[in-house]
């Protein structure tokens, strides 16, 4: 049966490639198809430009100091680059390099940056641990106050960590954004529901007042047998009834 099937057109073959790369894409017409092609080409051009920029920097580095090429080559082969440096320069060569008077200022600056980075990393680690301990106490308090299970707390923290990780790498999933939208619109939705409930309740009270008033229209009021006709009162308007229902 497969031998009798006509060969696929180039358009169908290319459409299958696009579907494999973009499973959610729909390419029913040429506008959608060429739109996706244009977007892919733009991404390819951007990536190619980045590759060429990095390659140019690497080429310039290797041309400036051939020893850098040896260093990178050793790492690519899986060798310990520092042992390779000793093999190529020897201990005396490394000592001479470290004692080079023309590089002392640069070495001092590099060491200063190292010390500052180390101190910053240590300070961040201490701050993280301090904040983490306080956060754990807060979670325990929330769990007790709200009567939450361990599974619920764990699920909430997993969501927080997922959002934090997405923020670090700059990649946000649709599910995360939808959950954030639900969170920021929750108060507005609750307030809207409350307002609608108040309006519905007020309308129901007005309808009840109107109904009672209409049921009493045309009914004579008792005069206690005195023969004195009751004093007529002015007919209430709709607005009087509304005020009475408030």
């Amino acid at each position: 049966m497969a031998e009798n099937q006509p060969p696929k057109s180039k358009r169908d073959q290319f459409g299958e490639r696009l579907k494999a790369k973009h499973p959610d894409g729909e390419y029913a017409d040429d506008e959608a198809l060429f739109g996706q092609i244009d977007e892919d080409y733009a991404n390819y051009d951007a990536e190619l430009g980045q590759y060429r920029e990095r390659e140019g920097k690497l080429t310039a580095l290797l041309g400036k100091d051939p020893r850098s090429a040896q260093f990178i080559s050793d790492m690519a082969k899986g060798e310990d680059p520092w042992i390779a440096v000793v093999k190529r320069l020897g201990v005396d060569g490394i000592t001479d390099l470290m004692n080079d008077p023309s590089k002392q200022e640069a070495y001092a600056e590099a060491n200063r940056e190292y010390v500052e980075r180390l101190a910053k990393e240590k300070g961040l680690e201490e701050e993280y641990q301090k904040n983490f301990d306080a956060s754990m106490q807060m979670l325990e308090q929330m769990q007790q106050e709200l009567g939450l299970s361990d599974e619920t707390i764990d699920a909430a923290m997993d969501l927080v960590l997922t959002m934090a990780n997405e923020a670090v790498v700059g990649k946000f999933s649709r599910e995360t954004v939808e959950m954030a939208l639900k969170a920021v619109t929750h108060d507005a939705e609750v307030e809207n529901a409350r307002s609608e409930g108040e309006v519905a309740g007020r309308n129901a009270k007005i309808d009840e007042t109107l109904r009672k008033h209409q049921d009493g229209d045309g009914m004579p009021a008792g005069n206690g047998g005195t023969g004195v006709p009751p004093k007529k009162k002015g007919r209430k308007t709709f607005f009087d009834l509304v005020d009475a229902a408030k």
Side-chain angles (χ1 to χ4, degrees):
M1 295 296 294
E3 295 179 355
N4 297 328
Q5 292 180 352
K8 296 181 180 178
S9 66
K10 296 296 183 182
R11 190 186 192 284
D12 291 339
Q13 293 179 23
F14 191 76
E16 290 179 355
R17 292 186 63 183
L18 284 181
K19 289 293 291 183
K21 185 175 182 181
H22 308 285
D24 297 331
E26 295 294 338
Y27 311 107
D29 53 38
D30 288 344
E31 188 69 18
L33 177 64
F34 285 102
Q36 185 64 68
I37 294 173
D38 181 68
E39 181 180 340
D40 286 346
Y41 265 105
N43 292 334
Y44 294 150
D45 289 341
E47 292 177 359
L48 183 59
Q50 294 174 359
Y51 293 147
R52 287 175 175 172
E53 181 181 0
R54 289 194 291 267
E55 182 181 355
K57 291 180 179 179
L58 181 60
T59 301
L61 172 65
L62 300 182
K64 184 178 180 180
D65 188 351
R67 292 175 299 181
S68 300
Q70 298 171 351
F71 191 80
I72 295 175
S73 176
D74 291 334
M75 287 191 296
K77 294 176 182 178
E79 299 179 5
D80 188 325
W82 306 114
I83 295 179
V85 168
V86 175
K87 288 181 179 180
R88 298 182 187 281
L89 300 180
V91 175
D92 292 338
I94 296 176
T95 302
D96 292 340
L97 185 64
M98 295 299 299
N99 293 331
D100 187 346
S102 64
K103 297 184 179 295
Q104 294 305 306
E105 185 175 348
Y107 289 157
E109 176 64 17
N111 187 68
R112 182 187 64 80
E113 293 179 2
Y114 165 76
V115 172
E116 289 181 354
R117 185 177 70 253
L118 194 64
K120 184 178 181 180
E121 291 175 355
K122 184 178 180 180
L124 290 174
E125 183 178 354
E126 292 176 351
E127 182 179 359
Y128 174 89
Q129 190 60 50
K130 178 181 177 181
N131 293 336
F132 183 81
D133 293 341
S135 297
M136 291 300 100
Q137 294 178 5
M138 179 272 295
L139 286 175
E140 291 179 1
Q141 183 177 359
M142 282 187 63
Q143 184 175 9
Q144 294 177 0
E145 291 177 354
L146 302 178
L148 303 175
S149 65
D150 292 341
E151 291 76 13
T152 302
I153 286 291
D154 291 341
M157 290 307 301
D158 287 342
L159 174 59
V160 172
L161 292 175
T162 298
M163 297 176 70
N165 290 334
E166 290 182 356
V168 170
V169 299
K171 182 179 181 181
F172 303 95
S173 65
R174 181 182 180 89
E175 292 77 8
T176 300
V177 176
E178 288 178 346
M179 285 186 285
L181 288 173
K182 290 180 181 179
V184 299
T185 59
H186 174 72
D187 292 343
E189 291 175 352
V190 171
E191 177 62 22
N192 184 55
R194 184 186 66 80
S195 299
E196 291 179 353
E198 291 179 353
V199 171
R202 196 159 51 238
N203 290 341
K205 191 173 183 181
I206 291 173
D207 292 341
E208 179 67 15
T209 303
L210 288 173
R211 186 186 63 76
K212 290 181 179 179
H213 180 71
Q214 290 171 354
D215 291 344
D217 285 348
M219 298 295 293
N223 54 21
T226 61
V228 179
K231 184 177 180 181
K232 293 183 179 180
K233 295 184 180 180
R235 183 180 180 86
K236 288 187 178 181
T237 67
F238 172 77
F239 298 104
D240 292 333
L241 297 174
V242 172
D243 289 338
K246 292 183 178 179

